[in-house]
Amino acid sequence: MTWWAAVPALGAALGCLFVPGVLLALAGGARGPSLVTAAPALGVGAVGIAGILGALLGVEWSAAWLLLCVVPGAAAVYLIVRACRRRFTGQGKEERRPKRDPEPRSNGWLGTIAGAFLAALVIALQVKTAMDRPDHIAQRYDDVFHLNAVRYIVETGNASTLNLGRMLSPDRDIAIYPSAWHSVAALVGQLAGLGIPVSVNMLNIVIAALVWPLCCMFLVRSVVGRSNLAALTAAVLATVFPAFPLALFEYGTLFPNMLSYSILPVALGLLIHVSRLVLEPVDQWHWSSHTVLLGIVLAGLVTAQPNGLVALLAMFVPIGLWIWWMWARPARTPRDVALWRKTGVLIVVGITYLLVWGQLLLSFDDREPFTTGGAALGAVLTGSVSATATNWFTATAIAGGLVVLASDKRRVWLLFVFVVPAFLYVVAASVPPGPIRMFFIGSWYQDAPRLAALTPMVSIVVAVAGFLWLRDWAVRRVTDAGRGVRRPVAGAVVSASVMAFLVILCATSFQGAIDDAVANAKRAYSFENAKADVLSLDERKLIEQLPELVPEDTVLGVNPWNGGALAYAYTGIPVSQYHMDTPGDDLAMVAQTLDAAVQGSDSCSTAQNLGIEYVLDFGDDYLLDFEEAFEYPAFDDVTAESGFELVRSVGEAELYRIAKC
C-alpha cells in the first residue's frame, strides 16, 4: 500500500479530532490561536464522553453519533459560559482585564501556523520513516491488544471506556479500559474504509506530528503570553526530545499514553488559567470558559489514558501550594485566626489529595532501577532522557530558562512544576523497589519510559521562557546601541535571528539522538527480524486470506503469543484469545490436548462449546518466552496425522480445520 492511498485516513483522523474540538472551543469563547491549539484536546474529551453516552443509550459508535453529541454539547457550553458572564459581571466579579499594551503585539497566528507546519513536517517524516509502510504494525506486546480493541469497537459498536475491557472479560457488565484512542481509530477506519493498521498509523501520525506541537503551543501561550517567536520556538522544541513522542512508537507500544500526554499541555494550561496564575490573559476568555473546557479535557485524559490525569494531579501539587501561599501570606502572625483557618483548609485538601492518590496506585512492583539519581537528573536537565548522547544545545536552553524563571517572582512557581516530572523520572530510574517507589510512581506501573515521556512538556516551556528573555535582551541592546533603530524593527530582526539560530542548532546538534530514536521505532515496525516479530509477512498474508477460507461464525484457535490473535484485528473473525495473558480453564485444556483428542472426548466437546472449528498454527516463535506462551502445544505444532485438515499454508504459517471433532 502506498502512502498516498492512506491520505483519506489521515484526513479522517484530522476531522475526528479537530471538528468537535473547534466547535467546543468556539462555544467556550476561545478566539485567536487558542481556538486551534486547544481543539484536539477538546476533541478527545468529546470522543470519550460520546462513547460512554452511546453505550448507555444503546447507540452504535459512529461519526454521526459523535457529531450528534458535540452539537448540543457545544450549545450547552455556550449557554453555561454566557450565564456565568452575565451573573458575575453583573455583580462586578468579572476577572480583571489586562492593561492595554502601549506597543500592540501580534496575536501569534503567524508563529502558530508556521510552527504547526514545521513541526508536522519534521515529526511526520520521522514517523513515516519509522513505519516504512502505512500498513505495517508495531511488532510489540501492547499493540496486539490495541489493534484488537479497535476492531472490537468496530464490530460491537460500543466505544465506552466502561465496557472496552469486555473484549477480554465478556461476562462483566462494567469492564473499564480507557477507550478514546481506540474509538478515534475505529472512526478513522469507518470513514476512510481502510484497514485497522492503516487507520491506527494515520491517527498516530496526526497525534505525534500535529496534536502534540499544537498543545505545547497552547501551554506556552498560557505561561509566557502571545508571541510569534514563542509559538514557533515551542513547535521546534516539540520535535527534538527523543523521549516523546518517538520513544512511545517503540516501547509498549503506548499509543493511548501518547494521546493522553499529547493533550496534557492543554489541561495544564487551562488549569493555570483557572488558578489565576496567568499574568496577562492574552485571550479574553472568561474564567467560566476555562473551567468548563478544562472539565472536557479532563474527560479526555481519563478516557485516553489516566496516566495523563495522574500527571496533572502531580503537577498541580506545587501550583496548589503556591496558590495557598499567596492566599495565606497576608496573615503574617501565628496568632492570626485567618492563618489557622487557611492552614486547616490546606490540611483538609492535602488529606483528600493523598486519599485520591492512594486509590490511583497500581499493584505493579516488578521494575528495577537502571541508573543513579544524579545521572537521571542530569538527563532531565539536559533534555537527554531516552537519548543516546547529551545535547548541549537543549541543555543550555533549559538551563537558561531555569535561571530566567528563578529571577522572575511572578513565574517562579513554574520551576516547581518543572521539578515534578524530573523527580518522578529520577525515582523510576534510580530508586529500588519498595514503598517509596510505589507511592510516587505506582500509578505509572513504576514504568520509567512512561515517566520519561512526561519530561519534555515542561522543559519546552522553560526553554521558551529563556529564548524570549534572550530576544528581549538582544532587542534592548540593539535599540540602545543603534540610534534611530525603532523597537519593532529591532524586535523583528532579533526574533528572526534567534529563530534561525534555534532551527539550525536543533537540526545539527540533536540529529544523532533523533536518528537513533527513529531507528529504534523502525525496528519495532519491521517485518524482517523474525525474533522480534509478532507477525511475519507469511503470517500476515495468510490472515488476509482468512475471510475466503473460514465461515463468518467460526472461532479460530490461536496462540496469542505468536501473533495469531491479530487475525481478529485484520479480519474481524473471532479468535480464542485476544491478548497475551493466561488462558481460561476450558481454553487451556483444549490448547493442550486437542491434538491428541478423539471424537466425543472432553477436548472436542469443549472446543465445540467454545466455537473453535479452525486452528491458526504460527509455530513456536513467540514474541516473549514467558511461561504462558508454552501453554498452547495443540495450536503450535498441528499435523494432519493428529486429525486436522490443512486448509491453506503460506510459508510456515498454516490454517487447519478440526476434522476429527
Side-chain angles (χ1 to χ4, degrees), residues 305-538:
Q305 190 8 286
N307 280 172
L309 176 64
V310 179
L312 185 67
L313 286 174
M315 286 185 279
F316 181 69
V317 171
I319 293 175
L321 289 174
W322 182 263
I323 294 171
W324 177 84
W325 171 250
M326 299 302 293
W327 177 49
R329 190 171 58 174
R332 298 182 180 278
T333 65
R335 295 183 180 180
D336 195 323
V337 176
L339 177 61
W340 289 103
R341 184 176 68 250
K342 293 172 181 178
T343 302
V345 171
L346 176 64
I347 292 173
V348 171
V349 172
I351 292 174
T352 304
Y353 182 93
L354 290 174
L355 292 174
V356 172
W357 184 266
Q359 292 300 311
L360 295 172
L361 299 178
L362 303 169
S363 57
F364 285 81
D365 195 17
D366 58 350
R367 308 291 197 226
E368 294 290 338
F370 54 87
T371 189
T372 65
L377 180 60
V380 176
L381 294 176
T382 57
S384 300
V385 177
S386 301
T388 54
T390 299
N391 174 21
W392 294 110
F393 161 68
T394 307
T396 303
I398 294 173
L402 292 173
V403 171
V404 169
L405 291 172
S407 61
D408 185 350
K409 294 181 179 180
R410 303 173 303 171
R411 293 193 177 100
V412 70
W413 55 268
L414 187 61
L415 291 181
F416 302 106
V417 178
F418 173 84
V419 166
V420 171
F423 171 76
L424 293 174
Y425 175 72
V426 169
V427 171
S430 63
V431 175
I436 294 177
R437 183 183 177 92
M438 171 59 73
F439 175 78
F440 285 109
I441 62 173
S443 299
W444 289 272
Y445 306 90
Q446 303 197 32
D447 199 351
R450 294 177 194 264
L451 293 161
L454 282 175
T455 59
M457 183 182 71
V458 186
S459 296
I460 289 171
V461 182
V462 170
V464 170
F467 273 106
L468 293 184
W469 179 89
L470 177 63
R471 188 274 310 271
D472 294 340
W473 175 84
V475 168
R476 289 194 300 269
R477 289 288 184 176
V478 170
T479 53
D480 291 344
R483 295 181 179 179
V485 179
R486 299 180 61 188
R487 184 177 179 85
V489 175
V493 172
V494 171
S495 295
S497 301
V498 171
M499 199 63 232
F501 174 76
L502 175 70
V503 172
I504 292 171
L505 284 184
C506 280
T508 56
S509 66
F510 217 113
Q511 197 59 43
I514 292 296
D515 281 348
D516 289 342
V518 172
N520 289 336
K522 188 177 180 66
R523 283 192 290 272
Y525 280 85
S526 173
F527 279 83
E528 303 302 325
N529 182 4
K531 290 298 181 183
D533 286 349
V534 174
L535 282 183
S536 69
L537 285 174
D538 288 342

Side-chain angles (χ1 to χ4, degrees), residues 18-349:
F18 282 87
V19 171
V22 168
L23 290 175
L24 290 168
L26 276 172
R31 299 295 183 267
S34 296
L35 180 64
V36 175
T37 55
L42 295 168
V44 174
V47 168
I49 295 170
I52 293 173
L53 288 176
L56 293 175
L57 297 175
V59 180
E60 290 194 359
W61 182 240
S62 66
W65 170 247
L66 175 60
L67 194 60
L68 191 61
C69 289
V70 168
V71 171
V77 169
Y78 173 78
L79 292 175
I80 291 172
V81 172
R82 185 178 180 183
C84 288
R85 282 181 179 273
R86 287 182 173 179
R87 175 76 173 88
F88 291 100
T89 300
Q91 291 186 1
K93 295 183 180 178
E94 179 72 36
E95 60 186 352
R96 293 177 299 174
R97 301 284 184 177
K99 295 180 180 179
R100 186 176 298 276
D101 192 339
E103 296 182 9
R105 296 171 291 168
S106 166
N107 61 13
W109 267 118
L110 180 61
T112 301
I113 295 171
F117 177 81
L118 178 62
L121 179 63
V122 171
I123 298 178
L125 287 175
Q126 293 168 353
V127 178
K128 175 180 176 294
T129 301
M131 291 178 176
D132 190 34
R133 288 169 53 96
D135 55 351
H136 278 188
I137 65 169
Q139 304 272 5
R140 292 294 183 264
Y141 177 88
D142 289 43
D143 211 27
V144 175
F145 175 86
H146 294 321
L147 294 175
N148 280 339
V150 175
R151 172 63 70 177
Y152 179 82
I153 291 175
V154 171
E155 296 295 323
T156 64
N158 188 336
S160 174
T161 291
L162 303 179
N163 304 135
L164 185 57
R166 285 182 186 170
M167 185 181 75
L168 302 183
S169 304
D171 297 330
R172 294 175 58 185
D173 292 331
I174 301 296
I176 297 175
Y177 193 91
S179 67
W181 178 86
H182 309 85
S183 302
V184 179
L187 288 182
V188 172
Q190 292 173 355
L191 293 172
L194 299 172
I196 300 297
V198 177
S199 302
V200 163
N201 287 342
M202 295 304 103
L203 171 61
N204 286 336
I205 288 177
V206 169
I207 294 170
L210 201 55
V211 173
W212 161 243
L214 283 174
C215 292
C216 285
M217 285 189 270
F218 181 91
L219 177 58
V220 166
R221 186 177 178 86
S222 300
V223 175
V224 304
R226 61 185 181 189
S227 164
N228 284 317
L229 180 62
L232 200 53
T233 304
V236 171
L237 290 173
T239 70
V240 303
F241 288 88
F244 190 83
L246 284 175
L248 299 193
F249 282 89
E250 188 276 333
Y251 181 80
T253 49
L254 304 180
F255 296 140
N257 250 97
M258 183 172 70
L259 177 59
S260 188
Y261 286 3
S262 291
I263 66 174
L264 179 58
V266 173
L268 182 58
L270 289 171
L271 185 62
I272 290 169
H273 278 279
V274 171
S275 302
R276 308 296 293 273
L277 292 177
V278 177
L279 300 181
E280 296 182 4
V282 295
D283 303 308
Q284 297 303 321
W285 297 18
H286 190 260
W287 62 265
S288 58
S289 300
H290 302 126
T291 305
V292 173
L293 296 185
L294 176 60
I296 297 173
V297 177
L298 291 179
L301 290 178
V302 172
T303 56
Q305 190 8 286
N307 280 172
L309 176 64
V310 179
L312 185 67
L313 286 174
M315 286 185 279
F316 181 69
V317 171
I319 293 175
L321 289 174
W322 182 263
I323 294 171
W324 177 84
W325 171 250
M326 299 302 293
W327 177 49
R329 190 171 58 174
R332 298 182 180 278
T333 65
R335 295 183 180 180
D336 195 323
V337 176
L339 177 61
W340 289 103
R341 184 176 68 250
K342 293 172 181 178
T343 302
V345 171
L346 176 64
I347 292 173
V348 171
V349 172

